[in-house]
């Protein structure tokens, strides 16, 4: 949990201060971090990202459930209200930022209303990507022995319903990038099309475009987006400025 950084130091330090310090290192082009826990994440972390030009406008904040009763049963230590307060600060300071998350459906005792509370969070935030999973008992965990386990049928139904929303929001979020010029940090060759390279925007979006990986690996390249899919973008190199 990166947000706990500095709490055991004397004197205590804040993760938000570390972001500012690292972000000001000469020659650094991009600063990205994961993962923030809603229980410990401070609004100061959002402010630090907004105030640090090298920090990527990307936040991965697993909320796990939109139901306070389920969150309590999970022992997560945060509420839906705390999570939404963080999201509100992100939207205020960095309106174009990407927010991703993890969520579990079908936790023991989860009611249909609890699940609908999770879908409500999904609709309120409209995440760029959400990693989803149906609860499965793990050895030596308290919940594995509870007698209020949900049936596989219920868990798979809820997983299917939430995944449909994940795909819908992922498509909507990337659609806004059409015709924009974005800065891409080139990482690898496109394994499905070797004449293309793959890189990421400051939002963490995958982008494909024509290029030589031996020439471009590690370079920052401006790309004009002409294709928007659920989980990737594509475009062409350009001399136009980012917009």
């Amino acid at each position: 949990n990166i947000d706990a950084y500095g709490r055991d130091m004397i004197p205590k330090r804040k993760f938000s201060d570390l972001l500012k310090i690292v972000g000001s290192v000469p020659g650094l082009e991009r600063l990205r971090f994961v993962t923030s826990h809603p229980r410990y994440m401070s609004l100061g972390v959002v402010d630090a990202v907004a105030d640090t030009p090298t920090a990527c406008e990307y936040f991965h904040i697993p909320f796990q459930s939109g139901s306070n009763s389920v969150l309590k049963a999970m022992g997560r230590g945060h509420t839906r209200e705390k999570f939404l307060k963080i999201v509100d600060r992100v939207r205020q300071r960095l309106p174009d930022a990407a927010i991703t998350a993890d969520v579990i459906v079908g936790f023991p005792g989860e009611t249909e209303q609890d699940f609908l509370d999770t879908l409500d969070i999904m609709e309120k935030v409209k995440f760029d990507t959400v990693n989803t999973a149906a609860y499965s008992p793990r050895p030596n965990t308290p919940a594995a022995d509870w007698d209020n386990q949900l049936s596989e049928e219920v868990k798979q139904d809820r997983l299917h319903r939430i995944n449909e929303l994940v795909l819908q929001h992922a498509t909507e979020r990337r659609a806004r990038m059409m015709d924009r010029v974005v800065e891409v940090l080139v990482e690898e060759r496109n394994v499905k099309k070797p004449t293309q390279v793959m890189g990421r925007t400051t939002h963490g979006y995958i982008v494909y475009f024509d290029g030589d990986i031996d020439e471009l690996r590690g370079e920052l390249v401006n790309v004009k987006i002409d294709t928007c899919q659920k989980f990737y973008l594509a475009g062409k190199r350009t001399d136009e400025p980012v917009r």
Side-chain angles (χ1 to χ4, degrees), residues 58 98-100 126-130 166-180 182 200-201 203-207 225-234:
Y58 169 84
I99 303 176
T100 63
K126 296 191 185 300
F127 296 93
D128 295 80
T129 302
V130 179
V166 170
L167 294 177
Q168 176 187 325
H169 292 163
T171 302
E172 291 174 3
R173 292 291 292 165
R174 284 158 185 75
R176 79 188 196 285
M177 307 303 288
M178 181 64 77
D179 294 327
R180 285 174 57 172
V182 297
R200 295 179 189 272
T201 69
H203 305 85
Y205 295 158
I206 290 174
V207 179
I225 302 302
D226 58 25
T227 302
C228 298
Q229 296 295 331
K230 290 187 289 289
F231 295 120
Y232 74 87
L233 306 171

Side-chain angles (χ1 to χ4, degrees), residues 83-104:
F83 177 78
L84 289 173
K85 186 175 182 180
I86 294 170
V87 171
D88 285 345
R89 179 64 68 92
V90 173
R91 296 303 188 213
Q92 290 167 9
R93 294 299 314 273
L94 294 156
D96 199 43
I99 303 176
T100 63
D102 303 333
V103 65
I104 294 173

Side-chain angles (χ1 to χ4, degrees), residues 30 32 183-201 204-214 216-219 221 223 231-235:
R30 284 191 183 181
R32 186 169 62 175
E183 182 186 73
V184 177
L185 175 59
V186 179
E187 297 180 0
E188 300 289 348
R189 177 181 284 109
N190 181 354
V191 294
K192 294 184 178 180
K193 191 174 182 181
T195 58
Q196 288 189 334
V197 296
M198 181 277 286
R200 295 179 189 272
T201 69
Y205 295 158
I206 290 174
V207 179
Y208 297 109
F209 64 95
D210 290 338
D212 181 351
I213 188 60
D214 295 323
L216 297 175
R217 191 192 307 273
E219 297 295 322
V221 180
V223 177
F231 295 120
Y232 74 87
L233 306 171

